[in-house]
């Protein structure tokens, strides 16, 4: 005999009531303890490996450093692809792992990378610094403060900022804090090349003297019978004054360093990446939260510490909140919780109106009970409250009332037939429990592609599967254990028992169904025709990967030609600041000069530091202001900054992509890929929906090549190495020692004076010291000429790769533009020589990867569904009937998306797959009811119409509740397409389940009798 959980619950009421109380209390506590975040955590499966070889050409750096490291990195397990950026003397390699790499494998892989690169370190050329590794590329700095100073030096400001940083590091949940825009101090020893030559002073001897005096060496230790005394030798530099007072013996007399050189304290020259806030130079603190932390609690704690710390700041130093993810998350969670309560209110209203007050109260109490248990399980499995999990709660909410409605409706039916409360409350379990469980499992199976898609997008949306699965399983247990107890307490038998008068809606439905069954072939053909029409209309729906965020920020990329200095980038940033100062739509802004913005939200497409690149984060007052501001800035940049390659975009959702239109040109020879890239750019530019076509690298830059007459140099006792060292010291400066100042180490840089460092004529006449104490001009044994070379080279999997990038015009989608470009690009591909390729990238590539990862899991989804259905139905015929209804939801999906104008994106596709489970669940329960009616001896047609009439109310109530429950999230940017897809698909599929499925059943199982179908009267109790 099968156990009846409802009967067990009613026999152990006290225990069940106790469990209900515990569940509610635990759920409330879990709700307040759950972590809060903006986006779900997903692993950025990228590691950065970098190395430097000062003085090397770009060609040597590529062949001797980048190539050697990349060959080794190709042994990396789970490797998807490598990208490398190489400039003269510097290489940066991005190691990207495949989407199916889990968290533990990622950590093991990064450890493996360190080992294999460490093993090959000895094969790199002498003088290579590194390699260095950054496996924290995905760290997010959600809270950023900027500090500006009026009347204070950069060092004074940094001292205050360092002090505040130390205090913030003690705050709970703070993982690490990065300092932005701080300029390291330098002590410059600037000399005149001519004056040193006149005095006969050897630069190398001067530098050696500085290094020897400032060295840190032990002076020894005296051990006595009672104590230990350390000996300290004086001479360490503590300030620039110590340097100025150094004496040198020159031609028999003593000279101070201040007599032959200018000694001054300044900042790194050229500057390190700069940070500007609201148009002023600033130093920033970017705060990262530990994994699993609560950003709301962190934001509150940070504010308390900042209030205390900044109260002691002197007037003139102003802290400015640049980014506050806590506020964003609080607002987002507040909006979602409002949507959740609205959805609950809608579903409760439907329940009370359709079932009455007491039955509606059973549903009303089941919902918070289910949610409380769901919150507890979420805490147990470490699922935070964030964009995906909150949306999943709303979707699940619309589904979890299904079982409770079925149980309550069945109890009401049995009470109306005269059963006592105990019998009526346990009837649903005996009749529907396993059909409901099968339907629940099938619905969960519909979300399996979400949960197990091996891609970044799949990882991003995993909590959708997890929360829905938890909620549906919990709702089944609530429906068969807690709901019967609530029904016994709250429901009352009707005053009169026996057949109830059918409602007008039910009567109309029975009449319509009778006619549909009579005209079965017309009904079937019409349904098939509608399905075919939806397939034909499917291409009319625009495709989209992930929509833009509804946050008010705009990202503004400001890219100069790649030979531009950081001074040029700073000048652009200042001009851009001026344009924003008085704009009424701007709340605040920050500009990162010489680098991209730090990862202040997880899906940010982080840019490499480069002198020619700056990125602004402009916060508008609201989303509408953001749209107005974007239009104004587009016009501003086009008119006043024509030399820039600029891009203005709202924040992205989902995995980071960058430029929406990207095509990679790859091949062995750089010159040839440049030619192909120019042709490709013409193809892309020809499309009216594209704009701002550009290249990630292409333009060669000017350089001065100094050719040494080696024979002449050797006669003079000189070498290329010595000459390069001299030039570096004169032009860029050479770090000769360090001054230890408090917590800082300040480099002492020896170089020529400004007027001698920036003039090519001065270089020609540069006096080089010879071994015999004399000097000779550089032009005596060297020639100067201008040449061109590439400032940087990007490679992908060791092949030079040039990316052609473009934006799409407002209102257009990248997928649509890519479809239009496909013909022209295919024609270009036919002309490519062997070894060269044009590959699509950007949004389209990421979308294809993500959809492929979903498609790869669909067979598993179908296997689970078919297995559950076969266990429940035990008939291939009935299985075929259920599956015939499953795809019909596409009719409503296409119609809803076309009417609403929403795109068919990644999230919408997940909704369509989940819709299959919802439709099949209703079909399984309906077929089970038909079988029960036939088991009572009814004819096929009679059984079909009676069973459909009996299931009409719970199926329609569930569908209406689900559709109306989706209304709160339908207007949202992220969830809107999924909501419309489920609303339209479920509404149409429900109608077809109640009309098409009974008709097909009657046509299949009634074909042998071939009986005439008559009008069927209402069945008692309907």
């Amino acid at each position: 005999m099968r156990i009846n959980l409802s009967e067990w619950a009613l026999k152990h009421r006290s225990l069940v009531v106790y469990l209900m109380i515990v569940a509610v209390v635990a759920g409330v506590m879990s709700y307040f303890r759950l972590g809060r975040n903006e986006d779900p955590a997903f692993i950025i499966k990228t590691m950065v490996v970098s190395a430097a070889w000062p003085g090397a050409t770009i060609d040597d750096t590529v062949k001797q450093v980048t190539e050697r490291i990349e060959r080794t990195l190709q042994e990396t397990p789970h490797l998807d692809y490598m990208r490398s950026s190489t400039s003269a003397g510097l290489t940066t390699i991005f190691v990207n792992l495949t989407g199916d790499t889990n968290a533990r494998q990622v950590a093991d892989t990064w450890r493996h990378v360190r080992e294999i690169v460490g093993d090959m370190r000895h094969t790199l050329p002498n003088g290579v610094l590194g390699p260095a590794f950054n496996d924290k590329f995905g760290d997010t700095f959600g809270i950023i403060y900027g500090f500006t100073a009026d009347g204070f030096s950069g060092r004074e400001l940094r001292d205050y900022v360092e002090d505040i940083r130390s205090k913030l590091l003690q705050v709970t949940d703070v993982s690490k804090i990065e300092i932005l825009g701080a300029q390291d101090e330098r002590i410059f020893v600037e000399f005149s090349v001519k004056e040193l030559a006149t005095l006969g002073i050897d630069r190398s001897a001067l530098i050696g003297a500085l290094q020897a005096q400032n060295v840190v060496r032990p002076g020894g230790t005296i051990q006595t019978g009672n104590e230990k005394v350390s000996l300290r030798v004086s001479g360490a530099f503590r300030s620039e004054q110590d340097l100025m007072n150094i004496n040198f013996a020159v031609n028999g007399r003593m000279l101070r360093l201040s007599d032959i050189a200018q000694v001054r304290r300044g900042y790194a020259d050229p500057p390190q990446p700069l940070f500007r806030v609201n148009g002023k130079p600033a130093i920033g603190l970017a705060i990262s939260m530990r994994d699993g932390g609560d950003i709301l609690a962190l934001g509150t704690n940070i504010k308390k510490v900042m209030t205390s710390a900044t109260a002691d700041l002197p007037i003139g130093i102003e802290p400015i909140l640049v980014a506050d993810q806590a506020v964003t998350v609080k607002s987002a969670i507040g909006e979602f919780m409002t949507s959740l309560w609205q959805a609950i209110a809608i579903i409760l209203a439907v329940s009370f109106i359709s079932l009455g007050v007491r039955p509606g109260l059973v549903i009303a109490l089941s919902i918070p009970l289910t949610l409380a248990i769901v919150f507890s399980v979420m805490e147990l499995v470490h699922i935070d409250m964030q964009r995906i999990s909150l949306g999943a709660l709303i979707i699940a909410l619309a589904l979890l009332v299904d079982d409770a409605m079925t149980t309550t409706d069945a109890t009401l039916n049995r009470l109306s037939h005269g059963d006592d409360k105990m019998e009526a409350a346990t009837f649903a379990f005996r009749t529907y429990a396993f059909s409901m469980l099968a339907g629940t499992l099938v619905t969960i199976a519909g979300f399996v592609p979400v949960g197990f898609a091996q891609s970044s997008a799949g990882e991003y949306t995993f909590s959708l599967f997890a929360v829905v699965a938890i909620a549906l399983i919990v709702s089944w247990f609530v429906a068969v254990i807690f709901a019967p107890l609530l029904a016994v307490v709250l429901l009352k038998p009707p005053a009169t028992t026996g057949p109830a008068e059918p409602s007008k809606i039910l009567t109309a439905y029975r009449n319509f169904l009778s006619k549909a069954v009579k005209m079965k072939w017309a009904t079937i053909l019409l349904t098939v025709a509608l399905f075919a029409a939806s397939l034909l209309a499917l291409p009319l729906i625009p495709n989209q990967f992930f929509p833009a965020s509804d946050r008010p920020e705009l990202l503004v990329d400001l890219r100069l030609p790649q030979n531009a200095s950081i001074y040029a980038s700073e000048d652009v940033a200042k001009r851009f600041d001026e344009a924003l100062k008085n704009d009424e739509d701007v709340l605040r802004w920050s500009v990162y000069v010489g680098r991209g913005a730090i990862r202040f939200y997880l899906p940010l497409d982080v840019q490499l530091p480069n002198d020619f690149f700056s990125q602004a984060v402009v916060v508008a007052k609201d989303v509408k202001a953001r749209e107005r501001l974007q239009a104004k800035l587009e016009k501003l940049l086009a008119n006043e900054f024509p030399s820039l390659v600029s891009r203005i975009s709202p924040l992205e959702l989902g995995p980071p992509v960058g430029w929406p239109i990207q095509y990679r040109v790859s091949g062995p020879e750089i010159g040839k890929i440049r030619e192909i890239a120019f042709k490709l750019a013409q193809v892309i530019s020809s499309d009216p929906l594209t704009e701002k076509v550009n290249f990630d690298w292409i333009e060669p830059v000017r350089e001065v090549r100094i050719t040494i007459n080696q024979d002449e140099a050797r006669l003079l006792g000189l070498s290329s190495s010595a000459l390069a060292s001299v030039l570096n010291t004169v032009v860029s400066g050479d770090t000769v020692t360090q001054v230890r100042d408090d917590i800082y180490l300040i480099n002492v840089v020896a170089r020529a004076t400004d007027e001698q460092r920036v003039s090519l004529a001065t270089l020609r006449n540069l006096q080089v010291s010879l071994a015999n104490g004399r000097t000779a001009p550089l032009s005596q044994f060297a020639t100067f000429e201008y040449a061109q070379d590439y400032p940087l080279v990007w490679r992908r999997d060791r092949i030079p790769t040039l990316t052609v990038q473009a934006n799409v015009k407002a209102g257009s989608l990248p997928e649509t533009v890519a479809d239009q470009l496909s013909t022209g690009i295919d024609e270009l591909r036919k002309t490519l020589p062997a070894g060269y390729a044009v590959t699509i990238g950007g949004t389209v590539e990421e979308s294809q990867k993500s959809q492929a990862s979903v498609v790869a899991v669909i067979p598993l989804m179908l296997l689970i569904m078919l297995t559950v259905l076969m266990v429940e139905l035990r008939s291939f015929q009935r299985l075929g009937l259920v599956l015939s209804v499953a795809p019909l939801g596409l009719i409503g999906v296409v119609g809803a998306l076309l009417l609403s104008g929403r795109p068919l994106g990644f999230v919408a596709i997940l909704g369509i797959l989940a819709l299959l489970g919802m439709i099949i669940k209703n079909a399984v329960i309906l077929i089970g009811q038909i079988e029960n009616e036939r088991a009572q001896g009814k004819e096929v047609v009679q059984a079909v119409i009676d069973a459909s009439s009996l299931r009409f109310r719970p199926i329609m109530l569930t569908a209406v509740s689900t559709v109306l429950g989706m209304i709160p999230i339908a207007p949202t940017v992220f969830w809107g397409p999924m909501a419309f897809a489920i609303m339209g698909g479920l509404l149409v599929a429900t109608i077809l389940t109640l009309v098409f499925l009974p008709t097909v059943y009657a046509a299949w199982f009634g074909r042998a009798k071939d009986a005439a179908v008559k009008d069927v009267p209402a069945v008692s109790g309907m």
Side-chain angles (χ1 to χ4, degrees), residues 998-1014:
T999 302
V1000 174
Y1001 188 100
W1004 181 261
F1005 288 100
R1007 68 189 188 285
K1009 298 182 180 180
D1010 200 19
V1013 181
K1014 301 178 181 179

Side-chain angles (χ1 to χ4, degrees), residues 141-147 178 180 275 277 284-287 320-325 588 590 592 597-600:
F141 300 84
I143 300 176
I144 302 174
Y145 280 91
F147 297 82
E178 294 281 347
L180 307 173
F275 185 54
V277 177
L285 288 180
I287 304 164
I320 302 169
L321 186 61
V322 175
D324 190 354
Q325 196 175 36
R588 62 178 182 269
S590 54
Y592 299 78
I598 197 167
R599 193 186 296 276
F600 65 93

Side-chain angles (χ1 to χ4, degrees), residues 658-841:
W659 288 86
I661 298 295
Q662 295 180 29
Y663 288 90
R664 296 187 296 272
V665 183
S666 57
E669 295 183 12
I670 293 178
K672 188 63 179 177
I673 66 173
R674 286 184 76 233
E675 292 178 18
I676 297 171
F678 282 127
K679 294 177 183 177
L680 177 59
Q682 291 176 352
V683 175
I684 297 173
S685 301
S686 65
D687 191 293
L689 297 181
T690 60
E691 60 183 10
K692 296 184 179 177
V693 180
N694 66 94
F695 310 90
D696 63 343
W697 64 279
I698 198 167
E699 67 268 20
V701 297
R702 189 175 61 160
E703 66 178 18
V704 177
R705 292 182 181 172
I706 303 174
T707 305
I708 305 296
N709 183 324
Q710 298 294 337
D711 293 337
E712 184 71 22
R714 286 191 184 91
L715 289 173
L716 294 172
L718 297 172
S719 65
S720 295
S721 174
L723 289 170
S725 177
V726 169
L727 285 171
N728 184 61
T729 301
V730 170
V731 177
S732 298
D734 192 19
T735 300
V736 296
T737 188
Q738 290 179 319
V739 170
R740 297 173 286 281
D741 182 0
D742 196 27
I743 63 171
Y744 307 104
L745 281 176
I746 301 175
N747 289 340
V748 177
V749 179
R751 66 181 186 181
T753 55
D754 285 349
E755 65 272 9
Q756 295 177 331
R757 286 187 292 112
V758 297
S759 169
L760 189 58
T762 302
L763 288 180
R764 293 179 188 275
N765 298 320
L766 175 66
Q767 297 297 313
V768 179
S769 298
L770 304 178
N772 58 10
R774 300 175 61 189
T775 61
L778 184 59
S779 58
Q780 180 178 329
F781 48 87
T783 58
F784 295 75
E785 62 179 357
Y786 284 108
Q788 286 189 329
D789 203 352
Y790 295 101
L792 57 86
V793 172
W794 279 97
R795 295 173 16 134
R796 186 181 176 98
D797 292 333
R798 297 174 54 202
I799 300 174
T801 303
L802 200 161
T803 303
V804 185
Q805 309 169 138
N807 224 344
V808 294
K809 292 188 176 177
S812 303
L813 296 176
E815 291 83 354
T816 303
V817 176
D819 287 341
Q820 295 176 183
L821 291 171
S822 59
T823 303
I825 291 174
D826 287 341
E827 291 297 322
L828 176 62
R829 286 192 179 108
K830 294 176 183 178
T831 66
L832 299 181
Y836 295 85
V838 173
T839 311
I840 196 166

Side-chain angles (χ1 to χ4, degrees), residues 77-95:
H78 311 291
L79 180 66
D80 185 9
Y81 65 94
M82 292 181 296
R83 291 183 71 227
S84 65
S85 170
T86 306
S87 55
L90 181 65
T91 182
T92 305
I93 304 169
F94 296 86
V95 185

Side-chain angles (χ1 to χ4, degrees), residues 135-184:
D135 59 0
K136 303 297 182 183
F137 189 63
D139 285 352
T140 303
F141 300 84
I143 300 176
I144 302 174
Y145 280 91
F147 297 82
T148 60
D150 185 6
F152 292 86
S153 68
R155 168 63 184 272
E156 290 171 328
L157 175 60
R158 184 168 183 178
D159 285 341
Y160 284 111
V161 172
E162 288 280 7
D163 181 58
I164 293 173
R165 178 177 182 269
S166 298
K167 294 175 181 177
L168 291 176
L169 280 170
Q170 300 175 21
V171 175
T172 305
D173 283 350
V174 169
S175 172
K176 63 180 180 179
I177 302 178
E178 294 281 347
I179 293 183
L180 307 173
Q183 301 298 303
D184 292 334

